[in-house]
Amino acid sequence: MPVYNIKIKHTPTVTSSVYRWCLDSPVNDFAVSDERAGEIGIKVRGWVLPNPKKSLSVILLCGDEAISLPFNEERPDVIKKVLKDEPSGHTHLKCGFRHSVRFKHADFSIGVIENASFHPLLTGTIEGKLKVLEGKDNWLFLDNDSNQSVEQYTGKLKISRSEKLKWKYYFRSIYALSQSKNIPTCLLIAPSKESVYSQYYPHSEAKVTPIKQFLKMVPNSFPIVYPTESLKAMEERSYRLCDTHWTLHGARESSILLAKRLLGGEEKLRGLFYNDSYDVKEGFGDLGRKVYPPASAKEDVLNSYNYRTNVLFDNNLANFGRIILIHNESALHNSTLLLFGSSSAYSMFHFISRIFQTVIFVHTAGNVDQELIEKTTPDYMCMQTNARFVVRAPSFNDSVSSYIKSKKEKLKKEDDNLTFLSKEIPSSKLQVINYLAGL
């Protein structure tokens, strides 16, 4: 469940009608889910003591909504500790307020009304843990992420000399492996959203950026798919408005270009998906959930095919170390694709599982596990990573089993049986699934 933080700031000036006041809840940096903030309600509790002969009412302003917070709670603790008086029968014994408030806007203030004027006591805002850039026409983009996307795009961050050397080693190693084992291989780079839809991005692109540096480093002999121009030219929108990832249309296009690079025959590949049908559904996305109130947009959802019906094995681990094996007897090509991919690959499963009969996905963001290649004996191989990751070169000597071991150690005992295993497994896939399950 998404978590936001409530930031509280006291205002420097307060009306002279207020003697003392305090907000008990929410406190600064209070963590809250979007469900509680927008649907269930957040507890707002505090107290206000007026100066003698003054009468005040407390109001919470949220967006264009004014919410009354009437005094409804006796606070003998305040009378004792603040006024040093006997609570019983005191005029201001009921100086406390305690209410559940649904916040319809990220910014709010709490204050008192005196002589028809609002005097704020504090201001607050509901913020996501990660900041989000708001572009033109409601497009959302990553901000202050660990890969420093904004700094990359504006040229403030570049690929270091040491990482360039690591990339060169990676290219040489992948190419040599592909040649020695006779496995056609390519590298698929998912473009950053701002590179495809720069017209909506609030920053200007620098002349030298990490992805531009990277593309200059790639040897001519090294097979790469970087589908920026194809994704720009699509009739359908190729990226989601409230998400960092491409739409299903963008995933389809990237899947076709990947398969074209490995297999050829573009027309036949495109023909596979001519009769696909979609529903339109409202979606929040990974960025929409980071702003408050959560932002959503209408996106196309495939309704004529779902790769999950062909999953034989899924260890269901989160991110790095996840392994999924998809087997589709009706696929175009009777072959196995081993995909060392990232989160962008998941939406591609709907398409590549209809091109390659068996798809073995390993979440490594392009890191290569040589033992896994030996054990799964793929016909084709693809490393898939995201453009914002290129500031750090992937590893050619990775260990998927170490990811899995680390994740398993952190799992609670009741979560030990997350692995999905199909009840019907073709005999030809038993050996490889036993190996993957054993990891």
Side-chain angles (χ1 to χ4, degrees):
M1 185 176 291
V3 176
Y4 301 90
N5 288 329
I6 297 180
K7 301 290 186 181
I8 302 291
K9 184 178 180 181
H10 290 196
T11 56
T13 57
V14 179
T15 172
S16 58
S17 298
V18 175
Y19 171 61
R20 294 278 293 275
W21 66 275
C22 178
L23 183 69
D24 299 313
S25 179
V27 295
N28 190 42
D29 273 336
F30 179 73
V32 61
S33 70
D34 61 331
E35 182 184 24
R36 180 160 293 281
E39 297 177 24
I40 299 173
I42 297 172
K43 181 178 72 175
V44 177
R45 185 180 187 234
W47 53 268
V48 176
L49 287 172
N51 277 315
K53 298 182 180 180
K54 296 290 183 178
S55 179
L56 302 172
S57 57
V58 183
I59 296 291
L60 185 148
L61 297 181
C62 187
D64 57 0
E65 186 178 22
I67 301 170
S68 176
L69 302 176
F71 296 112
N72 61 353
E73 185 175 45
E74 293 183 350
R75 294 297 299 264
D77 56 325
V78 174
I79 304 303
K80 280 183 179 180
K81 294 179 181 179
V82 179
L83 297 182
K84 311 295 184 186
D85 209 341
E86 175 59 40
S88 181
H90 197 282
T91 306
H92 297 302
L93 179 59
K94 191 178 280 190
C95 62
F97 54 88
R98 183 176 188 147
H99 303 276
S100 182
V101 177
R102 296 178 182 177
F103 285 75
K104 297 180 180 179
H105 196 274
D107 299 316
F108 65 91
S109 59
I110 297 177
V112 296
I113 296 289
E114 181 191 11
N115 298 326
S117 296
F118 178 74
H119 302 275
L121 302 175
L122 59 87
T123 59
T125 186
I126 303 174
E127 300 178 351
K129 286 189 174 181
L130 287 177
K131 291 184 180 178
V132 173
L133 278 177
E134 295 188 22
K136 298 176 183 177
D137 296 343
N138 300 318
W139 281 75
L140 300 181
F141 298 88
L142 269 176
D143 194 7
N144 83 322
D145 58 299
S146 59
N147 298 291
Q148 298 178 270
S149 298
V150 174
E151 287 76 9
Q152 288 194 44
Y153 193 81
T154 55
K156 295 177 182 177
L157 176 66
K158 298 181 177 68
I159 302 177
S160 67
R161 183 176 297 179
S162 62
E163 290 301 322
K164 286 181 180 180
L165 292 174
K166 291 178 184 177
W167 269 116
K168 290 178 181 179
Y169 171 75
Y170 183 80
F171 292 139
R172 288 196 306 268
S173 302
I174 295 293
Y175 184 79
L177 177 71
S178 173
Q179 294 297 306
S180 65
K181 295 189 175 297
N182 195 27
I183 304 175
T185 302
C186 76
L187 174 64
L188 169 63
I189 304 291
S192 295
K193 183 176 174 179
E194 55 270 23
S195 296
V196 179
Y197 287 99
S198 57
Q199 66 269 35
Y200 302 112
Y201 197 60
H203 296 288
S204 298
E205 186 178 19
K207 290 183 178 179
V208 180
T209 63
I211 189 61
K212 291 177 181 177
Q213 289 179 295
F214 169 80
L215 292 173
K216 286 185 177 180
M217 285 192 296
V218 181
N220 293 332
S221 59
F222 192 88
I224 182 173
V225 177
Y226 179 61
T228 307
E229 296 306 317
S230 296
L231 296 174
K232 283 182 181 180
M234 290 186 70
E235 183 179 343
E236 306 99 336
R237 180 160 43 80
S238 60
Y239 274 77
R240 298 175 65 185
L241 266 71
C242 300
D243 200 288
T244 54
H245 300 93
W246 43 37
T247 62
L248 284 173
H249 302 297
R252 182 188 68 237
E253 181 67 17
S254 300
S255 299
I256 290 171
L257 296 176
L258 161 64
K260 177 187 173 183
R261 187 70 197 235
L262 293 174
L263 303 170
E266 182 176 357
E267 186 175 346
K268 202 168 186 179
L269 291 169
R270 293 193 179 279
L272 274 177
F273 314 118
Y274 280 156
N275 296 322
D276 281 357
S277 59
Y278 295 80
D279 291 325
V280 178
K281 292 187 178 180
E282 198 79 14
F284 289 98
D286 58 5
L287 295 177
R289 290 288 190 182
K290 291 181 175 69
V291 296
Y292 193 87
S296 63
K298 295 185 185 303
E299 302 290 351
D300 287 345
V301 178
L302 188 64
N303 64 22
S304 54
Y305 175 78
N306 191 329
Y307 78 88
R308 292 299 311 182
T309 60
N310 291 311
V311 171
L312 299 185
F313 172 82
D314 185 352
N315 67 6
N316 279 311
L317 294 179
N319 300 318
F320 275 61
R322 186 168 187 180
I323 301 177
I324 303 173
L325 188 147
I326 311 165
H327 181 73
N328 178 16
E329 292 285 352
S330 302
L332 176 67
H333 208 270
N334 181 18
S335 60
T336 296
L337 172 71
L338 175 59
L339 174 58
F340 291 107
S342 71
S343 58
S344 294
Y346 287 83
S347 55
M348 295 173 62
F349 297 162
H350 294 297
F351 308 102
I352 57 174
S353 65
R354 285 183 279 170
I355 299 172
F356 300 91
Q357 188 177 82
T358 302
V359 175
I360 302 172
F361 167 77
V362 189
H363 196 136
T364 63
N367 294 320
V368 172
D369 184 327
Q370 296 178 55
E371 179 187 307
L372 203 144
I373 298 170
E374 292 283 348
K375 297 292 186 180
T376 58
T377 60
D379 301 296
Y380 299 92
M381 191 166 67
C382 174
M383 291 71 63
Q384 184 275 311
T385 188
N386 297 337
R388 66 180 183 273
F389 297 163
V390 300
V391 288
R392 286 176 289 276
S395 168
F396 180 69
N397 300 294
D398 207 10
S399 171
V400 174
S401 61
S402 65
Y403 295 141
I404 295 173
K405 183 180 179 181
S406 176
K407 294 280 178 72
K408 290 286 187 180
E409 287 174 351
K410 293 177 182 177
L411 285 174
K412 297 177 182 178
K413 287 185 178 179
E414 58 266 29
D415 292 333
D416 281 347
N417 296 317
L418 289 174
T419 298
F420 168 80
L421 198 61
S422 175
K423 293 179 180 178
E424 296 182 7
I425 299 176
S427 58
S428 61
K429 301 301 166 188
L430 276 174
Q431 186 175 349
V432 68
I433 287 177
N434 286 335
Y435 164 70
L436 298 175
L439 291 174

